[in-house]
Amino acid sequence: MAIRSRNKTSAEFSSASISDIVFLLLIYFMLTASFVKQSSLKVELPQGESVKPSEGKNYVTITADQTYAWNNQLLDTRDDLVPFIEEVLQDDDLENDVISLRLDRDAVVDDAVFVMDVVAKNDGKVFILTKKR
């Protein structure tokens, strides 16, 4: 009497688990990627030793020749920054309460103090961006 096996081996495999793994890897790399904000103005950032910089969604750029920009929008004077900063800080979104300051290392300190003062009056926070040593 011959014993027959009920289980037959199949040459097919399910690719559902592979697509799940690829999807999870895609999510992982999207969440851990560092997004770099590039501005149209070229500034030479001062050096710092901060391990983990915390950037806000909005940023002010000040160059050595006193050119001002809000995000990527060039402005005529530093007083033109005030309405932009006030609008962002007075909304209900707490993530917008952080303003990044991209300041050229040869820029006038008075300009940085002006921005910090406007942000402080509106209960916001300022992070000065530096480059790593």
Side-chain angles (χ1 to χ4, degrees):
M1 177 173 175
I3 299 176
R4 293 186 183 171
S5 172
R6 291 185 192 176
N7 298 333
K8 293 183 181 180
T9 57
S10 173
E12 298 177 8
F13 69 95
S14 173
S15 63
S17 61
I18 293 174
S19 63
D20 288 343
I21 292 171
V22 170
F23 181 67
L24 290 173
L25 285 173
L26 178 67
I27 291 174
Y28 172 77
F29 286 116
M30 286 176 55
L31 293 176
T32 59
S34 67
F35 299 101
V36 178
K37 293 180 183 177
Q38 295 294 327
S39 176
S40 58
L41 295 176
K42 178 73 175 153
V43 294
E44 182 67 30
L45 295 175
Q47 293 187 355
E49 300 201 13
S50 176
V51 176
K52 182 181 176 191
S54 301
E55 297 184 26
K57 289 182 180 178
N58 300 298
Y59 54 96
V60 174
T61 305
I62 304 173
T63 63
D65 62 350
Q66 294 183 322
T67 303
Y68 308 93
W70 171 257
N71 295 335
N72 277 331
Q73 181 179 355
L74 290 173
L75 303 173
D76 296 327
T77 65
R78 73 181 188 181
D79 293 327
D80 294 339
L81 288 168
V82 175
F84 290 108
I85 294 171
E86 287 177 346
E87 178 183 351
V88 166
L89 294 179
Q90 290 175 357
D91 66 3
D92 293 334
D93 188 5
L94 295 178
E95 289 183 19
N96 286 341
D97 288 351
V98 177
I99 306 292
S100 297
L101 182 57
R102 297 182 71 239
L103 185 67
D104 193 285
R105 69 177 176 182
D106 296 326
V108 179
V109 175
D110 184 52
D111 294 330
V113 172
F114 174 80
V115 172
M116 288 186 253
D117 187 43
V118 172
V119 172
K121 285 180 183 176
N122 291 286
D123 298 323
K125 298 175 186 168
V126 175
F127 284 100
I128 300 176
L129 299 180
T130 61
K131 65 181 178 180
K132 204 170 187 179
R133 288 185 182 191

